[in-house]
Amino acid sequence: MTGSRWLRGLRLSLARLPFGAPASEGPVHVFRDPWKGDAEQGARLIGGKFRFDRHDYVLPSGNWERGPWPEPAREWLHGFGWLRDLRTLGSDRARLTARGLVSDWLAHPPTDPLVRDACVTGSRLASWLSNHEFCLASADPRLQQRLMERMLVEGRTIAALLPLPPQGARGLMAFRGLLAAAMAMPEQTGFMSRFLRYLPAELERLVLADGTVIERSPEAQFLVARELAEMSVMFRTAHATVPPFIDRALDKVCPVLRAMRHGDGGLAVFNGANERHSAAVEDVLAQGSRQKLIAPAMPQGRFTRLALGKSLLIVDSGPPAPAGFDTTAHAGTLSFEFSHQRHRLFVNCGSAVIGAWRDAMRSSAAHTVLVADGLSSADFGPDGGMTRRPVTVSCDHQTDGTAHWLDLSHDGYHAPLGAKWTRRLYFGADGEDLRGQELIDGERNIDFAIRFHIHPDVTVTQDDEDIILQVGGTIWRFRQRDGVVRLENDVYLGRGKREICRQIIIMPQPVAEVAAPPEGESAPEPEKPAAAQKPAKRTHQSVTWLLERIPE
């Protein structure tokens, strides 16, 4: 064990010892959770169950340490963010259920490593404090005392674990919990001093110069904005000045979050994101930023956002997030989403948190991209990080003000196939003309499938070689050249449930088979040994496609 790890372990052990100043009888400051919960989830909780990632589980009773929950569901359960779902339901039964679950956890605190996860601990502390008036303010004094004693230990635990290893957006939960402990027990001055000492460096690591969160995910962008906005609310509730570095971070993060929204107000679906309700995104933006600015460009985040007329094109035009921040990254490099007004047409398929669906949603086939030889452009290891990824990703953007040209490429297929994929996009005609050329440059001809995932709200039919898309009173025609087009069933998880939809697939023209020689004629001579052959020529495969709006 290195010296720093040994010291960290010692600090953690000391933090969890029951000594020091006695905890307060109740929190000095509380604040109200600024976010709306899910009343349906609240009703499930009253019934002794909860839903996580489309699966139902039974709540613990006296044993929070072991259960049939996958690890992400355990983190969610121990984080107590679901208290807002019971608060949104708002009934006396919901209040008593919330109080009973907090009391049960305090009576049977787990000892497994999850308790030492600073992010989960932080979520728990902040959730207890932000829902204190709802379910704990009128509780028995003995429960109040146990709560405050535990908050003191938990706050010390987070303080001892700082600085954190790379956590991505979830790392801010630890700081929110430490701030909650500082609000509840301001006499414990070490909580605030460590918050102010370590959060600026965490934000510097997490937020790129253009405001994009390093995970390159609209979901991570949303979570960072929400965490920072809630911290701002906490300071204001305590009648304290919001630290300038929080305001500066919000001023950078919120314009990028706005840029990652479609016309329906929900999030674009890249790298572990789902749509989310537009109202939830709007609430975060309203709390986090006074000015309604949209980031004009994301040169560090490497997303390209093009708006023409009433149409919007968002392209993932950069490499995946760096190691340590890539556990939610998808193999969707150069994928795009296209919407018109409030209606999405081409999308990526969404994300899942656990199980086989998580792996499926991370694959290239779940994105609007070219899939070469059935492979993804990236591979993932047991810890969720990437073990193979595109190294060189390029994007050249040209515009004359009325149209846009994008020349994109990545080398994610170089290692397994010796191939490079180039995607050229044209976006013009006031947003009603989107064209593409897909090129594979390789050592041999490669089987490929260019997938265009269609949002479930779109009605799709096929007319000979044309695909007709209808949504929101508009009609669009999709056609291609130099390939074979198919229309197949598809699955969309972007709205928190599994929806059956459709996808367009373009495949290469079949190679003509060589006919057998007529009777009496000799067969072609066998090929020369490899050493005598000339070096193989590079092959070039190309398909073009067009999406255009049909005038009414």
Side-chain angles (χ1 to χ4, degrees), residues 229-381:
E230 187 165 340
M231 292 178 200
S232 178
V233 169
M234 294 166 75
F235 275 102
R236 286 183 270 125
T237 301
H239 304 289
T241 302
V242 180
F245 59 80
I246 290 180
D247 283 337
R248 286 195 298 268
L250 280 167
D251 287 343
K252 292 172 64 177
V253 168
C254 288
V256 174
L257 179 59
R258 283 193 180 88
M260 290 181 169
R261 303 175 78 185
H262 280 287
D264 58 10
L267 301 177
V269 181
F270 295 96
N271 293 320
N274 288 319
E275 292 185 17
R276 286 195 174 266
H277 294 297
S278 60
V281 183
E282 195 59 46
D283 285 347
V284 168
L285 289 169
Q287 290 284 359
S289 178
R290 301 183 192 90
Q291 297 178 314
K292 296 184 177 181
L293 301 176
I294 297 177
M298 292 163 271
Q300 283 77 44
R302 301 284 296 276
F303 281 95
T304 302
R305 180 186 188 273
L306 305 176
L308 275 181
K310 298 178 180 179
S311 297
L312 179 64
L313 177 68
I314 305 177
V315 185
D316 181 352
S317 52
F325 299 97
D326 57 355
T327 54
T328 62
H330 286 197
T333 304
L334 305 192
S335 64
F336 70 81
E337 295 200 328
F338 176 76
S339 59
H340 179 74
Q341 296 177 333
R342 297 181 60 83
H343 306 286
R344 304 177 190 224
L345 282 85
F346 289 151
V347 293
N348 298 311
C349 289
S351 68
V353 181
I354 56 176
W357 279 113
R358 178 176 185 262
D359 297 336
M361 293 296 101
R362 297 185 81 185
S363 70
S364 292
H367 299 78
T368 295
V369 294
L370 181 146
V371 179
D373 211 22
L375 301 175
S376 284
S377 61
D379 293 330
F380 307 96

Side-chain angles (χ1 to χ4, degrees), residues 13-34:
S13 298
L14 292 174
R16 302 188 73 80
L17 290 176
F19 68 81
S24 308
E25 293 182 0
V28 174
H29 298 289
V30 297
F31 74 103
R32 183 180 175 83
D33 186 343

Side-chain angles (χ1 to χ4, degrees), residues 344-494:
R344 304 177 190 224
L345 282 85
F346 289 151
V347 293
N348 298 311
C349 289
S351 68
V353 181
I354 56 176
W357 279 113
R358 178 176 185 262
D359 297 336
M361 293 296 101
R362 297 185 81 185
S363 70
S364 292
H367 299 78
T368 295
V369 294
L370 181 146
V371 179
D373 211 22
L375 301 175
S376 284
S377 61
D379 293 330
F380 307 96
D383 64 349
M386 286 186 169
T387 56
R388 177 179 65 85
R389 62 172 63 216
V391 176
T392 303
V393 181
S394 67
C395 173
D396 179 56
H397 175 210
Q398 303 290 331
T399 182
D400 63 0
T402 62
H404 297 270
W405 292 262
L406 288 177
D407 198 333
L408 309 134
S409 69
H410 79 60
D411 62 355
Y413 293 115
H414 178 74
L417 301 173
K420 174 185 176 182
W421 172 38
T422 298
R423 161 168 272 178
R424 293 172 179 153
L425 299 177
Y426 166 82
F427 184 40
D430 205 24
E432 298 182 358
D433 187 345
L434 177 63
R435 307 181 190 189
Q437 182 183 28
E438 316 287 350
L439 301 99
I440 287 281
D441 178 15
E443 298 171 354
R444 59 178 175 83
N445 282 344
I446 294 171
D447 286 334
F448 62 80
I450 309 165
R451 296 179 181 271
F452 300 83
H453 299 280
I454 303 170
H455 194 270
D457 291 345
V458 180
T459 301
V460 190
T461 56
Q462 187 164 7
D463 180 13
D464 293 329
E465 289 296 306
D466 291 349
I467 309 292
I468 305 300
L469 313 177
Q470 300 182 62
V471 63
T474 61
I475 302 175
W476 301 76
R477 175 169 54 212
F478 180 92
R479 53 179 54 176
Q480 64 86 36
R481 189 177 64 200
D482 301 324
V484 177
V485 67
R486 295 206 314 249
L487 191 60
E488 294 188 357
N489 285 338
D490 199 7
V491 174
Y492 186 68
L493 302 184

